[in-house]
Amino acid sequence: HPFIGATLFAVMQAITTQTPFAPSQLKPELPAALNALLLQMLARDAAARPSAIAVAATLEAIARGSASTTKPTTDHRPPTTIRHTVGRAAERAELQAAFRSGRGSLLCVAGEPGIGKTTLVEDWLTDLAAQHSCTIARGRCSERLAGTEAYLPLLEALESLLQHGDARVAQMRQLAPTWYAQVASFSNDDTETQKLLAEVKAASQERMKRELAAFLTAVATPQPLVIFFDDLHWADVSTIDLLNFLASKFAAMRVLIVVTYRPSDMLFSKHPFLQIKPDLQARGVCRELLLEFLTTAEIAEYLALEFPGHRFPPAFPQLIHAKTEGNPLFMADLVRYLRDRSVIANTSGAWKLEQTLPDIERELPESVRGMIERKIAQLEPDDHKLLTAASVQGSEFDSAVVAQVLNLEADEVEERLEKLERVFAFVKLTSEADFPNGTLTLKYRFVHLLYQNALYASLRATRKATLSRDVALALEGCYGARSASVANELALLWEAARDYARASDSFLQAARNAAQINAHREAAQLAERGLETLLKLPETPERNGRELGLQLTLGFSLQSVLSWAAPEAGVAFNRARQLCQQMGDDPRFFAALSGVAAYHCIRAEYETGQGLCEQMMQLAEQSRDPVLLAVASTFWAIARLYQGNLVSAQQQFERALSLDRREYHEAYLAVFNENVGISVRRMHSYCLWTLGYVDRALALAQESITLAKQTAHPFSQGGAHLGTGTVLALLRDWQASQQEFEKVFALAEEYALGDLLNWAIAWNALNLAYQELTEAALERAKQAIESLRARGVMLPITWLLGSLGEVLGLAGRSAEGQETIAEALALVERTGERYYEAEIWRIKGELLLKAVSSNAQAEAERCYHQALEIARRQSAKAWELRTATSLARLWQQQGKTAAAQQMLAEIYGWFTEGFATADLKDAKALLDDL
């Protein structure tokens, strides 16, 4: 056009020189499309150059005035591309103040659907980027993947940070390698990549938290960092946990985190964010901005901005408010609808209503849902079909996937989506990306989830299933060998496609993905979802095979989240065992047995547990697999140890040790949640000490620590320190024992150690009680033991209760100690846990001697003889020595010196090691005295 160059020159000159833009400089002959283009250009520049705001306003008025010259009644395009926001001045000021404070903080923008949460934040971020030097990262939570895709919004935000250049990539690779491995693009044959991915599998959530904090701090050092998480009400537990951690580091971080959510959805789902929000608010690091619906006055203000100089009736804003309830999204949609229908028109240079208010009211839909349906009805059939296919992928979708599903050319789909964004405001372009197979795609999202829901709900069941299948196939083709990375999304699509076999496979893969990054809660939820899907399939061997994988994954995840003794884990493993028995020969039978055996043994259900251990041994013997033999021998020995069969336990422990090889350690983890090379040494050390091989026991426990240092498995490391601490407690070296338990606590700050941590807490509480004998120390010990019992962990409660009874006696509370010992002995009979039985009878005797009773000595002596009988039957030389020492003291008081000396000398003479330990020193001192 002959006037384009001159007009563009005049506009840019006005901006750069900050001079007014004269109306005469805009030629009436210019087409309205050019006016709109100029307005768009100026709107983008307005945030950066204040003078452009005045230019844009002038040009807007001129464009509207000239529009009637070219197309007086048929121009249905929006009057301007400038988005007018009203009623949010206070909230914008709050956002700006939070940014200018320079301190780390969490700002929550809350409100119901369509109220403008995302619009408010995005508009503010656009202005912020134009006015300040800062880094902005965005991540969205997904309704379809709600609560199951660990760290979803955070990973998306980190991906956006990587787009800022090589410096950011280097920072993340150095400071946060476990995150870098999850968001960066790699080739499958990259050895360094494989090393990073292995680190991710071994990384604890605490390590990941620390890495993330270090990386974000580094990013925010040169300039402030703003992170925006949209739709937090769909966030997973792991993301919320990370938010809580980052909030604890705000004092040292120039990071502003802005989140949006719907309060009603939060309350309905009992979202985990509600549990941490009050504490964050109390600490002053979290503020909530609750958005309200627009008032009639604010709607009037919006109309004045959208249609300058209009001549609408005063009651018109009230009508719009009544129809939309002040919902900003639908208010804007309704205004656009009225203009597109020429109900609002620019005639004679002024905006007017072409119908009376009663006529308009009769025409308008009665509800917001009706407005959505009315807006969708405006679409051309082909555009409706395109958006419907997009809705199947989700609120966020890919142009390349939609093109494949509809068998269209990619450029045609992109052009139509551009129109649907520009003209109808249905969708918004978010980014451009490459799929793993090299396909270029444009990523879009629906402007509001309500549009996507309405389109998706409009599909007939058969059409929904067909499209879901096509989208799933397209995604699998685009991701190729890396399809496992989108297993969550594929699972939901295959479920909607009614291909429940593929859906369950994808749910299983998604659960395994979550477990690999220690997101065990999400893994359990995904496994449960997969099991629900399988119920829709007929019972066949194939279905049973799929269920077996899901039940095993569920069981191991529940053990990590809850406890080895959790009933839910027991149900999963028992079902897995039943499935294996139905299916016959399946290599996963051993893993199922290990899970259910651990469950029953931890609950002190030894008769059942022993039977399962024997089945494990049979399978291992049949397979002749040294890994399975080592695991089975260890399980079998542990069950026998706690039943008091020390000699047979010792034989199996020795067998497991002879089979153990370092190269088997990774394989152990596939059938047991611990490095068996470490666990066998831990448990064998207890057995050796009890059998009287004191030095060998301590050496083996310390050997387990050496071995643990060579592994990256934190649970095994914790087990090594727990075992060594327990052996040192048996040796009555309380301070050295406490140091080992504190190492378990240090590991637990990073990793979920489950029952190992709770055992360490209980033993350490008793350690402190032996040293302090205060009311507070005794109460801590009681609470620690009760905490284990509340979780169903009964192994080794008889041992712990016996020690508690002894401590109570030492504190002068012998009556309470006797009650505790009586409870321990009752549990011995009920559960069959007899490892500590002899020592419990000895402690009972000690407590009886403290009682004021004429026959106390006789009763105590009967207890000592009972303890000796049990110890000798079990070959438990350590318990025999302790009991003989106690009985010898009693006989010394009764004048039976010779008998005392002979009995004690006999058992003392058996020992060939451990003479520097407390028990042997006490015995030697008493022998010398006798």
Side-chain angles (χ1 to χ4, degrees):
H1 194 281
F3 298 104
I4 289 179
T7 304
L8 285 175
F9 177 79
V11 170
M12 296 311 298
Q13 186 179 43
I15 292 174
T16 55
T17 61
Q18 299 189 14
T19 57
F21 183 79
S24 60
Q25 293 174 281
L26 181 62
K27 305 299 182 182
E29 296 88 347
L30 285 174
L34 178 59
N35 294 339
L37 175 64
L38 293 173
L39 284 169
Q40 187 176 17
M41 179 187 72
L42 288 169
R44 289 177 176 172
D45 234 355
R49 296 180 176 85
S51 63
I53 297 174
V55 176
T58 304
L59 186 55
E60 180 182 1
I62 296 169
R64 286 173 176 165
S66 63
S68 60
T69 304
T70 53
K71 290 186 180 181
T73 58
T74 59
D75 181 14
H76 298 321
R77 278 176 293 273
T80 175
T81 56
I82 297 175
R83 181 162 61 191
H84 295 121
T85 305
V86 296
R88 301 294 184 240
E91 290 81 0
R92 286 177 66 93
E94 289 269 14
L95 287 163
Q96 197 67 12
F99 175 79
R100 286 176 174 167
S101 71
R103 300 188 304 272
S105 62
L106 173 63
L107 209 58
C108 306
V109 180
E112 294 314 309
I115 204 166
K117 303 181 294 295
T118 306
T119 298
L120 168 66
V121 177
E122 287 290 3
D123 283 353
W124 174 72
L125 289 175
T126 299
D127 291 348
L128 186 71
Q131 297 169 11
H132 299 276
S133 294
C134 62
T135 304
I136 298 173
R138 293 172 172 85
R140 291 177 62 85
C141 305
S142 167
E143 182 194 30
R144 288 171 63 85
L145 307 177
T148 59
E149 183 79 7
Y151 309 119
L152 177 65
L154 190 60
L155 292 172
E156 185 177 327
L158 292 176
E159 285 177 358
S160 69
L161 286 176
L162 286 186
Q163 296 172 6
H164 283 71
D166 294 338
R168 241 5 135 248
V169 172
Q171 278 183 317
M172 188 182 293
R173 193 178 187 110
Q174 178 185 1
L175 299 174
T178 59
W179 294 99
Y180 178 76
Q182 296 181 72
V183 299
S185 299
F186 299 113
S187 60
N188 292 329
D189 56 352
D190 184 350
T191 55
E192 190 171 354
T193 298
Q194 299 305 318
K195 181 180 177 182
L196 278 174
L197 293 175
E199 280 191 41
V200 172
K201 293 181 181 180
S204 68
Q205 287 187 315
E206 293 302 320
R207 172 187 167 181
M208 293 173 71
K209 291 176 189 176
R210 289 200 309 272
E211 285 187 2
L212 180 66
F215 172 65
L216 296 182
T217 300
V219 172
T221 297
Q223 59 187 30
L225 171 62
V226 181
I227 303 175
F228 174 34
F229 292 145
D230 205 6
D231 293 329
L232 195 72
H233 46 273
W234 292 321
D236 57 281
V237 175
S238 298
T239 295
I240 299 303
D241 187 41
L242 262 175
L243 272 182
N244 194 29
F245 176 80
L246 293 175
S248 69
K249 305 294 182 183
F250 276 158
M253 297 170 66
R254 298 172 65 197
V255 178
L256 171 61
I257 300 177
V258 182
V259 303
T260 64
Y261 54 77
R262 304 174 189 170
S264 58
D265 283 25
M266 285 273 189
L267 291 169
F268 180 76
S269 64
K270 298 180 181 178
H271 198 275
F273 182 71
L274 296 178
Q275 299 172 17
I276 69 168
K277 188 177 75 167
D279 178 61
L280 297 179
Q281 289 174 317
R283 285 156 46 197
V285 296
C286 173
R287 296 190 64 185
E288 183 179 73
L289 307 180
L290 186 60
L291 298 190
E292 303 291 346
F293 287 116
L294 298 178
T295 65
T296 302
E298 288 165 344
I299 291 176
E301 180 185 352
Y302 176 82
L303 292 172
L305 290 169
E306 193 74 5
F307 306 100
H310 69 73
R311 298 177 184 175
F312 301 150
F316 185 48
Q318 297 173 5
L319 174 62
I320 294 177
H321 186 274
K323 290 296 182 181
T324 64
E325 299 178 352
N327 184 302
L329 174 68
F330 300 112
M331 182 271 295
D333 273 355
L334 179 56
V335 170
R336 186 183 298 110
Y337 169 80
L338 292 173
R339 188 179 190 281
D340 289 346
R341 295 283 174 171
S342 297
V343 176
I344 297 176
N346 189 331
T347 57
S348 304
W351 295 101
K352 298 177 183 178
L353 297 183
E354 296 298 313
Q355 298 178 15
T356 65
L357 289 183
D359 289 340
I360 295 173
E361 186 171 8
R362 280 193 296 271
E363 183 184 342
L364 293 181
E366 290 296 328
S367 65
V368 165
R369 179 178 177 181
M371 270 184 257
I372 295 172
E373 292 171 351
R374 181 72 62 86
K375 182 174 180 178
I376 291 174
Q378 297 177 58
L379 292 170
E380 295 292 332
D382 287 345
D383 288 339
H384 187 283
K385 184 178 179 181
L386 186 150
L387 285 181
T388 302
S391 75
V392 172
Q393 187 178 350
S395 59
E396 300 176 7
F397 60 92
D398 293 279
S399 63
V401 171
V402 174
Q404 288 187 45
V405 168
L406 297 179
N407 198 23
L408 297 173
E409 294 296 326
D411 56 352
E412 179 186 348
V413 170
E414 291 169 7
E415 287 176 7
R416 285 164 59 185
L417 286 171
E418 190 274 333
K419 173 190 169 187
L420 289 166
E421 176 181 17
R422 175 173 50 83
V423 177
F424 293 98
F426 265 111
V427 297
K428 181 177 178 61
L429 176 65
T430 58
S431 64
E432 180 181 303
D434 290 305
F435 279 119
N437 70 347
T439 301
L440 177 67
T441 186
L442 298 181
K443 292 188 172 293
Y444 278 86
R445 65 176 173 84
F446 283 92
V447 168
H448 201 278
L449 186 72
L450 292 172
Y451 297 146
Q452 184 252 336
N453 285 345
L455 287 160
Y456 188 71
S458 69
L459 285 167
R460 297 188 307 275
T462 52
R463 182 61 177 157
K464 184 182 295 184
T466 301
L467 283 174
S468 297
R469 181 204 63 202
D470 292 346
V471 171
L473 289 172
L475 280 174
E476 285 185 343
C478 289
Y479 278 91
R482 293 176 59 184
S483 293
S485 64
V486 288
N488 251 338
E489 194 169 350
L490 289 171
L492 296 169
L493 288 165
W494 287 124
E495 184 179 37
R498 298 175 180 269
D499 190 336
Y500 301 121
R502 282 179 164 177
S504 66
D505 290 343
S506 295
F507 277 123
L508 176 58
Q509 182 60 59
R512 288 171 173 168
N513 291 348
Q516 283 181 352
I517 57 173
N518 293 309
H520 292 291
R521 288 185 181 87
E522 290 83 354
Q525 290 173 3
L526 287 161
E528 287 171 344
R529 186 78 177 268
L531 289 169
E532 291 172 7
T533 302
L534 279 179
L535 293 176
K536 299 170 184 176
L537 287 174
E539 187 170 350
T540 62
E542 291 76 16
R543 192 193 85 165
N544 289 344
R546 290 186 167 93
E547 184 185 352
L548 175 57
L550 286 163
Q551 293 287 8
L552 287 174
T553 302
L554 175 62
F556 287 124
S557 294
L558 288 173
Q559 282 184 339
S560 298
V561 173
L562 302 174
S563 164
W564 274 335
E568 300 91 334
V571 169
F573 283 124
N574 273 306
R575 175 59 181 162
R577 180 182 57 156
Q578 292 170 7
L579 289 167
C580 288
Q581 290 168 340
Q582 292 175 22
M583 294 163 57
D585 187 20
D586 191 291
R588 293 171 290 182
F589 190 22
F590 191 89
L593 287 173
S594 74
V596 75
Y599 167 77
H600 285 291
C601 287
I602 296 297
R603 297 179 69 87
E605 296 165 356
Y606 294 109
E607 185 175 346
T608 303
Q610 185 66 49
L612 293 164
C613 291
E614 289 171 1
Q615 286 187 60
M616 291 173 63
M617 186 67 77
Q618 290 172 6
L619 284 177
E621 295 282 6
Q622 291 169 9
S623 70
R624 298 184 180 179
D625 185 329
V627 172
L628 299 188
L629 282 167
V631 175
S633 297
T634 302
F635 267 72
W636 197 93
I638 291 171
R640 300 298 282 173
L641 171 68
Y642 280 105
Q643 292 176 89
N645 299 311
L646 303 182
V647 175
S648 60
Q650 156 76 358
Q651 293 169 353
Q652 290 300 325
F653 280 133
E654 292 288 356
R655 184 188 189 193
L657 276 176
S658 68
L659 290 166
D660 179 49
R661 299 287 185 276
R662 183 173 180 180
E663 58 265 30
Y664 298 161
H665 291 180
E666 284 297 321
Y668 289 148
L669 301 180
V671 292
F672 189 46
N673 195 30
E674 188 176 359
N675 183 324
V676 175
I678 293 172
S679 60
V680 68
R681 286 168 172 81
R682 176 175 88 244
M683 303 306 300
H684 192 191
S685 65
Y686 303 167
C687 188
L688 284 172
W689 181 88
T690 314
L691 288 169
Y693 305 111
V694 181
D695 291 344
R696 285 173 58 190
L698 185 57
L700 194 61
Q702 291 171 339
E703 184 181 317
S704 73
I705 293 180
T706 302
L707 188 60
K709 291 177 180 177
Q710 301 169 9
T711 180
H713 193 242
F715 196 89
S716 301
Q717 294 171 346
H721 290 295
L722 175 71
T724 304
T726 306
V727 170
L728 289 166
L730 288 168
L731 295 174
R732 299 182 184 271
D733 189 344
W734 310 122
Q735 292 183 351
S737 173
Q738 183 178 338
Q739 291 173 4
E740 292 300 322
F741 293 137
E742 286 173 353
K743 291 173 184 175
V744 178
F745 302 150
L747 280 166
E749 290 181 1
E750 288 195 48
Y751 304 96
L753 298 185
D755 293 330
L756 286 182
L757 171 62
N758 293 306
W759 280 322
I761 291 171
W763 281 121
N764 195 56
L766 285 166
N767 267 1
L768 295 172
Y770 273 113
Q771 296 175 75
E772 297 176 3
L773 295 177
T774 63
E775 179 64 33
L778 291 169
E779 192 58 34
R780 280 196 303 269
K782 290 179 186 177
Q783 290 175 358
I785 294 171
E786 284 309 308
S787 176
L788 280 170
R789 298 178 75 169
R791 297 165 66 91
V793 178
M794 296 301 294
L795 179 155
I797 294 297
T798 57
W799 185 353
L800 294 167
L801 286 174
S803 298
L804 177 61
E806 183 176 35
V807 174
L808 287 167
L810 294 172
R813 294 160 62 169
S814 59
E816 189 178 350
Q818 287 186 57
E819 291 176 1
T820 303
I821 290 299
E823 183 181 3
L825 287 172
L827 276 176
V828 167
E829 295 305 319
R830 181 163 66 83
T831 64
E833 185 177 281
R834 301 188 180 277
Y835 168 73
Y836 204 67
E837 185 181 12
E839 181 68 348
I840 294 173
W841 279 104
R842 183 194 71 82
I843 294 168
K844 182 178 181 179
E846 296 285 314
L847 291 169
L848 286 169
L849 287 176
K850 298 177 187 294
V852 180
S853 171
S854 58
N855 62 343
Q857 288 191 353
E859 291 179 4
E861 187 169 346
R862 280 195 293 272
C863 291
Y864 291 148
H865 282 297
Q866 178 74 3
L868 281 174
E869 180 184 344
I870 295 168
R872 288 164 180 166
R873 184 170 65 244
Q874 295 179 353
S875 299
K877 298 298 183 182
W879 302 142
E880 184 181 350
L881 177 67
R882 281 192 187 177
T883 305
T885 302
S886 293
L887 181 57
R889 283 200 186 95
L890 176 59
W891 281 355
Q892 183 185 35
Q893 294 171 15
Q894 296 173 343
K896 303 176 184 177
T897 306
Q901 192 274 337
Q902 181 181 353
M903 176 190 63
L904 186 56
E906 183 178 340
I907 181 61
Y908 183 84
W910 179 93
F911 281 85
T912 59
E913 58 184 78
F915 295 107
T917 59
D919 287 340
L920 284 159
K921 286 166 111 178
D922 286 349
K924 180 65 167 62
L926 181 55
L927 276 172
D928 291 344
D929 193 29
L930 290 169

